[in-house]
Amino acid sequence: MSTRPKKARDCAGALTAEFAIVLMLFLAVVCAVIELSRILYMFNTLQVVTERAAAAAAGADYSNAAAMSTVRRRAIFRSSAGTLAIGAPVTDDYVRIDYLSLSSAGGTATEIPAALLPSCPANNRITCMQDPYAASCIRLVRARICDPAVTGECQKVVYQPLFSFMAIPLNLPKAAAVAPAETLGAPPGQAPCP
């Protein structure tokens, strides 16, 4: 039996209960602030990722799978395959790179289907010199963040909270960036490919 008076024991118990409630509220606020900060980080970083990917893809050989894989990895600040730092679920597979042509009427950009892409960057240069508005002339490079599970249309990526007990129904933005096509990896004087 305790030698402290009953009133002191009751106060100690109430203090412990109040401290537990305040601690839970404090931790909930801290977790919410961390999660909100991560959401802002993701929104900003995904735009930077697409800008990096578009700029790098403008000078990389689109017909070389290894070169394109390197572009995607470097866009998410990695040297090997993996996840964006504190950016799960975004990996290099989420970076989608498209090649666009321009129409002569109004200069609208149109995605070039993979089957119509020139067989190599040197052939693209020749195609564009013959007709800069040809349907297979790569004039622009677009990078987007898309769900890799959906192969057709670019679907938004569902946000994955850092803390699993926080259910946040949020889609990440459709970050996209467009860059003018540069060399596309073709060195000067490269001969056309078959």
Side-chain angles (χ1 to χ4, degrees), residues 8 34 37 46 50 92 100-101 131 134 137 142 144 161 166 180 183:
I34 290 171
S37 300
L46 292 182
T50 57
D92 51 328
L100 310 172
S101 64
D131 181 8
C137 171
R142 176 178 61 192
R144 299 180 287 173
M166 296 182 110
T183 64

Side-chain angles (χ1 to χ4, degrees), residues 112-143:
I112 303 172
L116 290 180
L117 286 174
S119 53
C120 69
N123 287 5
N124 182 64
R125 187 178 300 148
I126 293 168
T127 300
C128 291
M129 286 189 343
Q130 292 172 349
D131 181 8
Y133 299 107
S136 61
C137 171
I138 300 171
R139 300 277 300 272
L140 301 169
V141 179
R142 176 178 61 192

